[in-house]
Amino acid sequence: MAEDQQALSLSWVFGASASIKHSVVNLSDGYTDKICYLAANTAVIYDKRLRRQVFLQGHTSPITCIATTDDRSYVITADQGPESLLVVWNVRTGLPTYTVQRPHRHGVYCMDVSLDGLWLATFSAPDPETNEQEVSLWSLSALLDPAAAMQQARLQQQQQGASETGSERAPNGPSPLRPIVTTVMPVGDIQFSLRFSPNNPQELISNGKKRVYFWSWAPGSNRFQYYSPPLRSRDFKQKKVADFVSSVFVPGTTQALTATEDGDLLVWDEQGITAQVGTSATDRRAIKLMRIHSSPITLLSTVGDFIVSGGEDGYVRFFDPLLRIVAWFEDLAAGPVTAVAFSAVLPDRIAHADAADTLNRFMVPDFVVATRQSKIVSVQSATFEEYDADRRRGASVLDSLLADVVDIAAHPTRAEFSVLGRGGGLQRWDSIAHCLVTSRSFASKQEGRCLCYSRDGALLAVGFGTGHLHVLDGDTLTDAHVLRNTATGLTRLAVSSTGQHIAAADENHQVLLYAYLPYKHTMRWEFLGRCHSHHGRIASVVFGESPSGQTRLLTVGADSRVVEYDLAGSSVATGLRALSYYDFPSGGGVPTSLTFAPPLQYFRAFAAETHLLVSDDSYKIRVFNPDRPAVEATFLGPTFGGPIAQLVMFKSPASDSAFLAYRTAERVVGLIAWPLDGDPARTMGLIAHPGEVRAITISYDGRKLLTVGADGTLASWDINTTPLERFAASAASAGDEARWSEVLADPELLREMRDYFVYAQIKTQGEESLEPRAVPGAVPVEIVPDLMRAAGFYPSEADIDHLLNHIQYMAHGRDMDSMPAVSFADLLCLYVNHRPLFNVTHADIVQAFRELEGSGSSDNPKLTREQLLTLLRTAGEQMGVDELAAALAALTGAPTPEKAMPSAVTAAQFSSDVLGFDLQEDEA
């Protein structure tokens, strides 16, 4: 899809996949100076000269490995997971050349390209249950040009007289290319490193923590031959050989090397005449153990005739084939090395390799080093000869993002944002230049939790797991004030629009309030008090303004309670006071976020009322009026990616209309057009991160959406609301009835609802009336609950109140005082928005019985018949004696409630015998 057709398009990625080995490839070829590195589920091509990023998007899981062809024309990426992909990308266009779906059952763990560029080897991710792995060999030429490979395969079949010349064709096109060699390895040590021999592409080496495997294959064979030589610590006169890290073949020799976490190098060589019975003379055995680093080795690779090692100490060292050190780069100061990637060409300073040999000088292509601190450093190989240590540090390619970001806040007046790390790091970034402006580190024990700017950006409030609240200068990040008034960690922060109040929530479900007050001819932050207003996790703390301009503070918790606080009546003397609270009826979803709804235009009816938007884990967004207090409307939210975890309101600069940005707990972020109506055409979502999405924020001008993932990356998305508005207008142009019929997407149910609707109009006039039938196209509001029940949605009394309130809300939106009747389109709208997205299941009944019994984790909790009947009559929405008897008689046919159930009722019995659930079908 073209970028102008996308509501959200990726514009920049901060950070990288710091923990993945070999996560960077160098695409510099003498004409361009580019690298490609991994950032969660995206591979980023970065032009170092133009400072431009190109994104290779398509993976939905974190990319686990990356490789490139020798000419740097193609990049190959692969991931793990149930929907794993192996993708070949064209570097020039940034588009995929070929995609292999599920190259292995659980994805790819590691891979390598042979030096001659003809073969790709992959090791599968281990099976979660058996740890089984397989190694495969692919024809790289076929992956680079799949059409030609398919054509050649068909020609070969024809030449061989194959009876099914179309066997390579699937119903919708050619079938995926598959590996030419595949072998399942013995279950045991999980292999995570795989390398081709630079001397012979028919040899490979792999290793896990304890075992090294040597693999070989012959043309025409569909299986690898392999062996794993034994290793005994006493052979090297030491108690233990540390865990293995990586393995390579030594260029130009028969030897191979394995690096260990002790900084040792294990040398393997052919046995020759010392071969034992049952082994070959060309089989390798361990002959030497030598230390090359004083810290764990993190990386082992080769370039030309050199062996390259990287260490936990951040050192990069080069060795010749005789394992003599020839060069070392120990001043990079960038952190533990995870990747060293070399350019495709030698440096310009020496035009020919022969000259370097004559001069006896060290020469390799320039390279980049990636580290576990998310740093990427560009190093010129000539700097090894520099005397000044500063010149040997290399140049930072990209400023590094904190690897453990937990929260983000956009500056309210500038193109900047700040991020907070779990380890106590704080950074301020320029979102246009994509560079780090300033940073600060707090004590490591102060686990970062949350941060928030004031409206003018003058101060930045930062909350920590120790309960400390740091009020910082928004520019310098220096402390203006430090407070600690709780022993538990802070979880949420909010700053009032006036900048005079800061509210915080802690792990004890308390709300703390701070105020900026006069003190001895100056001003300072004072703690006003705390209020234990919730008995569950506090999901959101928000300051907002009512249409009259009054500043209000509200919170919502997982206990389904919304609380408003008395800012005017709270002081140091009185503490923080709760002004009012509202408990959402039981049976609904658990609230997950709260934000102020965009205000209505001043000339609209009911524009003076304050409205809040409360999302919950049942995929609903409720419009809550704190002044009544009541739920005025309920709308269906986005249904992809999980329930909404955070809502952020903003105004689109393109149309000056209000929109909502949202995130789910996992993977998905998106936009919702305002006003809400529950139509999916007015929402969109995409996979922004492969795992947890920790926070989102909107830039000060409403043009950027910034998202933070638990994968160590931060993504900046360009917002273009025009496509969303266009889709919404296109759906609305078909008419309300057609639009909601399409949303319902159930022709049989639609037909039934239409019949019920027409019957309701007839019944309203009187079934036995002799007057000419008038079909006004609307039914009285009082009949709506019955129509819902007829359609299969059985609302509780609280649900009925919400339905009637929603109808009143619809009237307000049409500038009407009330709406005595609803049309068929209105009925469909109400049904789509209010019906539960998921039916009640046996698992829900089990959980309810557990809570009533207080057992917590019993597989089949039970209650006595008297307990259950008493609860049905007295708890929740109480049922009268006659009503309960009638309901049980209808469900079970029993004449009395006592006959409907045994003396002790289990959850399974209640589900199957009373409610009529098919437990086997429900479990399936």
Side-chain angles (χ1 to χ4, degrees):
M1 185 185 292
E3 287 194 5
D4 60 351
Q5 299 297 316
Q6 298 181 22
L8 292 176
S9 56
L10 191 58
S11 61
W12 198 265
V13 173
F14 300 85
S17 299
S19 60
I20 296 178
K21 302 282 183 69
H22 304 286
S23 61
V24 179
V25 293
N26 199 326
L27 304 179
S28 301
D29 57 5
Y31 301 99
T32 60
D33 193 7
K34 299 178 180 179
I35 61 172
C36 184
Y37 62 92
L38 301 183
N41 60 330
T42 302
V44 181
I45 298 177
Y46 179 65
D47 191 315
K48 294 191 284 183
R49 294 174 184 168
L50 300 179
R51 295 185 61 83
R52 180 184 302 164
Q53 288 183 341
V54 175
F55 309 107
L56 310 183
Q57 295 176 275
H59 292 274
T60 58
S61 300
I63 302 175
T64 52
C65 41
I66 183 171
T68 182
T69 56
D70 189 56
D71 61 0
R72 306 307 196 264
S73 296
Y74 296 91
V75 165
I76 305 148
T77 58
D79 63 26
Q80 299 177 26
E83 301 174 356
S84 61
L85 299 175
L86 186 150
V87 187
V88 180
W89 304 89
N90 186 308
V91 171
R92 183 178 61 84
T93 63
L95 298 175
T97 299
Y98 191 72
T99 299
V100 181
Q101 296 183 0
R102 297 193 71 184
H104 296 284
R105 183 179 178 186
H106 300 287
V108 179
Y109 214 41
C110 54
M111 66 183 181
D112 191 31
V113 174
S114 62
L115 192 61
D116 58 10
L118 298 178
W119 311 104
L120 172 70
T122 60
F123 234 118
S124 71
D127 186 284
E129 297 179 357
T130 65
N131 283 341
E132 184 180 83
Q133 289 179 283
E134 63 181 11
V135 58
S136 297
L137 185 74
W138 308 70
S139 169
L140 192 54
S141 59
L143 295 175
L144 297 180
D145 193 353
M150 289 294 187
Q151 182 64 26
Q152 183 179 2
R154 294 190 188 97
L155 291 174
Q156 290 176 352
Q157 286 183 350
Q158 293 173 358
Q159 293 171 357
Q160 295 171 2
S163 59
E164 295 180 4
T165 57
S167 62
E168 288 289 334
R169 183 171 294 277
N172 296 322
S175 62
L177 298 180
R178 304 311 300 175
I180 58 175
V181 178
T182 296
T183 300
V184 177
M185 68 162 289
V187 175
D189 195 27
I190 296 175
Q191 305 288 288
F192 50 75
S193 174
L194 179 66
R195 283 290 177 268
F196 274 100
S197 168
N199 313 313
N200 180 7
Q202 295 179 11
E203 280 191 297
L204 300 97
I205 185 174
S206 71
N207 71 267
K209 288 185 176 182
K210 299 297 182 183
R211 304 287 297 184
V212 173
Y213 283 81
F214 291 91
W215 307 83
S216 61
W217 63 280
S221 173
N222 62 355
R223 289 185 57 82
F224 282 100
Q225 300 296 319
Y226 64 90
Y227 64 93
S228 177
L231 180 67
R232 296 175 297 185
S233 300
R234 63 176 180 269
D235 293 342
F236 306 105
K237 298 181 180 179
Q238 65 181 54
K239 294 182 179 179
K240 180 183 178 183
V241 176
D243 290 345
F244 300 153
V245 175
S246 185
S247 299
V248 296
F249 288 95
V250 179
T253 73
T254 59
Q255 294 183 340
L257 307 172
T258 298
T260 76
E261 292 184 351
D262 273 352
D264 294 331
L265 210 56
L266 187 62
V267 184
W268 308 88
D269 205 350
E270 293 181 352
Q271 299 179 103
I273 60 174
T274 63
Q276 299 178 358
V277 177
T279 63
S280 169
T282 57
D283 287 353
R284 292 175 176 84
R285 65 181 179 88
I287 63 169
K288 186 190 300 183
L289 188 68
M290 58 182 293
R291 178 147 299 187
I292 62 171
H293 281 263
S294 57
S295 65
I297 298 174
T298 56
L299 180 88
L300 198 62
S301 183
T302 61
V303 56
D305 292 335
F306 296 107
I307 298 102
V308 187
S309 70
E312 189 80 22
D313 49 18
Y315 297 169
V316 176
R317 292 172 176 169
F318 292 79
F319 302 83
D320 66 13
L322 297 179
L323 301 183
R324 298 175 300 192
I325 189 167
V326 295
W328 51 94
F329 294 81
E330 301 179 351
D331 301 294
L332 301 178
V337 177
T338 57
V340 178
F342 294 88
S343 168
V345 295
L346 292 169
D348 294 335
R349 63 185 179 90
I350 299 179
H352 302 286
D354 295 341
D357 293 338
T358 303
L359 297 172
N360 193 26
R361 298 170 65 185
F362 166 73
M363 188 182 73
V364 296
D366 295 337
F367 56 94
V368 294
V369 177
T371 72
R372 206 176 296 152
Q373 296 178 359
S374 294
K375 295 181 179 179
I376 301 178
V377 179
S378 178
V379 182
Q380 295 182 348
S381 57
T383 59
F384 170 63
E385 300 173 1
E386 294 286 350
Y387 177 77
D388 188 354
D390 289 337
R391 296 186 177 182
R392 297 197 298 268
R393 292 191 193 282
S396 176
V397 176
L398 289 168
D399 289 334
S400 60
L401 180 76
L402 295 171
D404 55 353
V405 175
V406 294
D407 202 4
I408 181 172
H411 196 285
T413 61
R414 297 198 297 260
E416 294 180 358
F417 63 88
S418 293
V419 291
L420 178 66
R422 191 180 302 279
L426 179 65
Q427 294 179 331
R428 184 162 66 93
W429 287 80
D430 186 318
S431 57
I432 296 179
H434 309 119
C435 63
L436 182 63
V437 178
T438 186
S439 63
R440 175 181 175 180
S441 294
F442 295 88
S444 58
K445 65 179 181 179
Q446 289 185 272
E447 177 187 351
R449 290 290 183 83
C450 45
L451 75 165
C452 183
Y453 272 107
S454 61
R455 178 172 286 189
D456 60 0
L459 66 86
L460 177 64
V462 184
F464 292 91
T466 56
H468 286 86
L469 172 65
H470 286 248
V471 183
L472 311 179
D473 182 278
D475 291 329
T476 63
L477 303 186
T478 56
D479 285 324
H481 209 85
V482 180
L483 306 103
R484 183 172 186 255
N485 301 97
T486 176
T488 60
L490 302 181
T491 59
R492 296 285 185 271
L493 277 179
V495 182
S496 67
S497 57
T498 61
Q500 300 299 306
H501 290 91
I502 298 175
D506 69 8
E507 294 173 339
N508 278 346
H509 321 316
Q510 300 179 119
V511 176
L512 296 84
L513 184 64
Y514 301 87
Y516 197 52
L517 301 175
Y519 177 78
K520 293 183 178 180
H521 309 293
T522 184
M523 301 285 289
R524 74 173 187 180
W525 287 96
E526 295 280 0
F527 174 64
L528 295 189
R530 63 173 61 85
C531 182
H532 200 158
S533 49
H534 293 273
H535 55 269
R537 179 185 59 86
I538 298 177
S540 292
V541 178
V542 294
F543 280 103
E545 294 180 354
S546 63
S548 62
Q550 176 189 3
T551 300
R552 307 177 74 166
L553 170 63
L554 296 105
T555 61
V556 67
D559 54 1
S560 297
R561 171 173 290 185
V562 177
V563 182
E564 182 171 8
Y565 302 87
D566 185 2
L567 290 180
S570 299
S571 64
V572 175
T574 61
L576 175 60
R577 292 178 173 178
L579 185 64
S580 63
Y581 69 89
Y582 175 83
D583 290 325
F584 291 108
S586 60
V590 175
T592 57
S593 71
L594 170 71
T595 188
F596 274 75
L600 296 173
Q601 295 93 334
Y602 72 93
F603 54 82
R604 295 288 299 274
F606 312 101
E609 296 187 356
T610 300
H611 289 113
L612 306 173
L613 301 180
V614 182
S615 66
D616 61 38
D617 63 0
S618 63
Y619 295 84
K620 306 291 186 182
I621 302 176
R622 310 180 216 183
V623 179
F624 177 72
N625 187 329
D627 298 320
R628 293 179 55 180
V631 175
E632 294 201 343
T634 301
F635 295 103
L636 177 66
T639 56
F640 26 76
I644 291 175
Q646 183 181 358
L647 280 171
V648 180
M649 190 271 289
F650 69 99
K651 183 171 286 189
S652 168
S655 61
D656 204 37
S657 300
F659 283 81
L660 293 165
Y662 72 90
R663 70 172 175 92
T664 64
E666 301 282 338
R667 311 210 311 170
V668 174
V669 303
L671 303 177
I672 307 172
W674 179 264
L676 302 177
D677 65 0
D679 186 352
R682 296 172 61 82
T683 69
M684 62 78 57
L686 51 76
I687 296 177
H689 298 272
E692 179 189 357
V693 184
R694 288 182 170 169
I696 62 171
T697 190
I698 298 289
S699 64
Y700 78 104
D701 56 1
R703 298 180 185 275
K704 301 279 187 184
L705 170 65
L706 304 172
T707 65
V708 172
D711 46 46
T713 64
L714 187 155
S716 175
W717 305 83
D718 286 332
I719 298 175
N720 178 17
T721 57
T722 302
L724 193 58
E725 293 171 334
R726 185 165 55 246
F727 296 151
S730 176
S733 64
D736 286 343
E737 185 172 327
R739 177 164 67 111
W740 289 111
S741 298
E742 184 177 350
V743 174
L744 186 63
D746 189 336
E748 183 177 351
L749 177 60
L750 177 65
R751 185 171 58 254
E752 290 181 3
M753 292 186 68
R754 193 184 302 277
D755 292 343
Y756 291 136
F757 186 78
V758 173
Y759 174 68
Q761 295 177 77
I762 295 173
K763 188 174 182 179
T764 300
Q765 188 177 0
E767 295 179 86
E768 299 178 357
S769 174
L770 299 178
E771 298 295 328
R773 290 294 177 185
V775 183
V779 297
V781 169
E782 297 78 17
I783 299 180
V784 170
D786 291 331
L787 289 173
M788 293 292 169
R789 296 185 186 101
F793 165 42
Y794 302 96
S796 64
E797 293 302 320
D799 292 333
I800 293 174
D801 289 341
H802 292 170
L803 276 168
L804 300 179
N805 288 343
H806 195 152
I807 295 172
Q808 186 71 11
Y809 183 82
M810 295 167 70
H812 292 176
R814 299 168 189 176
D815 286 333
M816 299 167 58
D817 290 331
S818 63
M819 201 161 67
V822 297
S823 66
F824 185 62
D826 293 335
L827 180 69
L828 292 177
C829 173
L830 293 168
Y831 180 78
V832 167
N833 283 304
H834 284 262
R835 67 173 176 175
L837 192 61
F838 304 106
N839 292 325
V840 175
T841 65
H842 171 60
D844 299 321
I845 302 299
V846 171
Q847 184 58 36
F849 265 65
R850 284 175 182 162
E851 294 182 6
L852 293 174
E853 182 193 35
S855 60
S857 60
S858 175
D859 292 335
N860 194 17
K862 63 182 178 180
L863 298 169
T864 65
R865 181 175 57 212
E866 289 71 20
Q867 283 179 312
L868 184 55
L869 292 175
T870 301
L871 288 169
L872 290 171
R873 288 194 297 262
T874 61
E877 294 193 352
Q878 303 168 8
M879 301 179 71
V881 175
D882 294 338
E883 182 183 11
L884 179 58
L888 289 175
L891 289 168
T892 65
T896 63
E898 288 72 19
K899 298 290 186 180
M901 293 176 284
S903 58
V905 187
T906 66
Q909 289 173 327
F910 189 77
S911 295
S912 60
D913 300 341
V914 178
L915 300 180
F917 286 0
D918 186 337
L919 299 188
Q920 292 182 346
E921 180 181 344
D922 193 69
E923 291 175 0

